[in-house]
Amino acid sequence: MKAFDLFLNATVAFSAAVFLAYLGLLWDYGLFTTLPAGITGFFLDRPVLQYVALALVVGALIAKVPVRKAIRQQHPTEKG
């Protein structure tokens, strides 16, 4: 269960970075304006990925609630 929680944390971090990079592109600021075109080209050619990233952030945050409850039930003495 802790591994799944770590996976959800990584999903939130990566997806939030992608979504914020798309937002930064609107104001000509952020990752997509500073990284080389070879790296950002994949994302810029597919603007629908910003909505996929947002959905992943929301979904992972919602999934973290029952995962955290399950972790607390397995390890009641630990704070988590």
Side-chain angles (χ1 to χ4, degrees):
M1 208 37 97
K2 285 188 177 186
F4 188 59
D5 189 46
L6 289 174
F7 172 75
L8 290 174
N9 288 339
T11 301
V12 168
F14 177 74
S15 299
V18 170
F19 181 72
L20 291 175
Y22 275 106
L23 285 181
L25 189 62
L26 294 174
W27 290 284
D28 199 31
Y29 183 80
L31 282 177
F32 287 164
T33 60
T34 58
L35 292 175
I39 296 172
T40 61
F42 174 80
F43 295 98
L44 297 178
D45 292 340
R46 295 162 183 88
V48 73
L49 288 178
Q50 65 186 319
Y51 303 110
V52 172
L54 179 61
L56 281 173
V57 169
V58 171
L61 289 174
I62 291 171
K64 285 181 69 61
V65 173
V67 169
R68 290 284 171 113
K69 285 182 184 178
I71 290 172
R72 285 187 191 125
Q73 288 176 352
Q74 288 177 353
H75 306 285
T77 58
E78 294 181 14
K79 298 270 182 182

